[in-house]
Amino acid sequence: CITVEKNAEMPVDHPTRKFKGRVVFQGNRVTDQNWEVALFNDYGSSPATMEAARSADAYGCAPGHTIEIADAEQAYIQALLKGPETWVCLPKEAWPTEWHTKGLKRPVCLLKRALYGHPDSGTYWEEHCNAHLTSVGFVPIGAEWPSCFFHPTLKLLLVVYVDDFKLAGPRHNLTQGWSLVSKGLKIEPPTPLGVYLGCGHEVREVKLPSGTVKVVSYNMEAFLTSCVDRYLELAGSGYKLRQAATPFLADDPANSPAAAPQP
């Protein structure tokens, strides 16, 4: 069992900061019928890239568009585990009462769901997710953009990073888009773009001489602050940070090729 505090780098009262627990497959103690190390296919999965997620942000900034996010509920075990049969031993605290009554010593169960920790679980969850999305009209963009889909009728761009969904497109179509996703996948209620993959996304409007535009800013200040706080905690009381200049190059276009005279 693994227990973690999700978004622990956020302020204590931040709504996305919460404890989550999950039962996992202990992959470091797997043997075959000869008590030798068991080997699985380990195909691997292909989650969406950060470039794809930012492309969705850009698409969601178009006039009349917006962006929403949602998490899949217990994503992996929504998919069936395929491949060679895998049998597992449960800890005694997870045994049904009848097992104790029968005096069983070390019973085993057939693992039917793609439990987190199994080398092939990510692959089977991805196959399950992709199969459903394509069945409801989302078209894969291509091999060079894995786990990215576009709905040609609703004009929605969907980016899937394991169990994190980001949907962008015309504001009036998002409800219908989420409805299609949830027909075959269990997802939490969608929310406006906020914390995605541990990074704060801030949507705001900026006034330019030519008009007003919508922009998405990426804010990792909370994570950086948590790193500094942890450093000070380990350094001990009385330690003070020294003043340091912002570690970025000066933004001066004077010597850039764009400013050089052209023959």
Side-chain angles (χ1 to χ4, degrees):
C1 180
I2 295 178
T3 303
V4 298
E5 187 175 13
K6 186 176 181 180
N7 296 317
E9 70 277 2
M10 295 298 172
V12 176
D13 57 347
H14 198 277
T16 64
R17 183 170 175 170
K18 56 185 177 181
F19 283 97
K20 299 188 71 173
R22 65 169 43 138
V23 176
V24 301
F25 178 83
Q26 196 168 355
N28 64 319
R29 297 182 62 186
V30 187
T31 60
D32 61 13
Q33 67 275 14
N34 299 319
W35 296 99
E36 296 179 354
V37 176
L39 300 177
F40 297 93
N41 294 321
D42 197 7
Y43 295 115
S45 55
S46 301
T49 62
M50 292 303 298
E51 289 80 3
R54 291 178 178 177
S55 296
D57 294 339
Y59 185 62
C61 287
H65 288 199
T66 191
I67 315 161
E68 292 182 348
I69 55 177
D71 290 349
E73 296 181 1
Q74 300 178 326
Y76 281 12
I77 60 174
Q78 294 187 36
L80 294 174
L81 184 66
K82 305 175 186 178
E85 288 187 355
T86 301
W87 296 78
V88 297
C89 297
L90 300 181
K92 285 193 174 183
E93 57 268 20
W95 287 14
T97 303
E98 62 184 73
W99 287 11
H100 294 280
T101 304
K102 291 179 178 180
L104 300 180
K105 299 300 182 181
R106 197 182 179 191
V108 294
C109 299
L110 178 64
L111 185 61
K112 296 183 178 181
R113 292 285 173 175
L115 188 64
Y116 184 88
H118 192 286
D120 293 332
S121 290
T123 300
Y124 296 132
W125 154 249
E126 186 175 285
E127 289 180 355
H128 174 73
C129 179
N130 292 355
H132 168 68
L133 294 176
T134 54
S135 71
V136 294
F138 285 93
V139 179
I141 293 179
E144 67 278 10
W145 288 86
S147 299
C148 297
F149 305 84
F150 188 77
H151 198 291
T153 303
L154 300 177
K155 307 300 180 185
L156 295 175
L157 175 60
L158 176 63
V159 175
V160 183
Y161 187 89
V162 188
D163 60 349
D164 292 284
F165 292 71
K166 179 184 285 190
L167 188 64
R171 185 183 302 273
H172 58 278
N173 288 342
L174 257 69
T175 299
Q176 186 176 353
W178 286 120
S179 178
L180 293 175
V181 174
S182 61
K183 278 186 176 180
L185 302 175
K186 296 180 181 179
I187 61 172
E188 297 178 354
T191 61
L193 184 62
V195 178
Y196 180 77
L197 301 183
C199 177
H201 290 54
E202 301 171 352
V203 183
R204 68 183 193 279
E205 292 186 346
V206 175
K207 291 185 178 180
L208 300 176
S210 57
T212 302
V213 297
K214 185 191 299 183
V215 300
V216 176
S217 300
Y218 305 104
N219 189 342
M220 293 292 292
E221 182 180 353
F223 175 72
L224 179 59
T225 301
S226 68
C227 291
V228 175
D229 291 342
R230 179 58 174 161
Y231 178 86
L232 291 175
E233 179 183 345
L234 295 174
S237 60
Y239 183 84
K240 295 183 179 180
L241 294 174
R242 292 176 295 176
Q243 183 68 28
T246 303
F248 293 103
L249 298 176
D251 187 11
D252 185 1
N255 299 318
S256 68
Q262 298 297 316

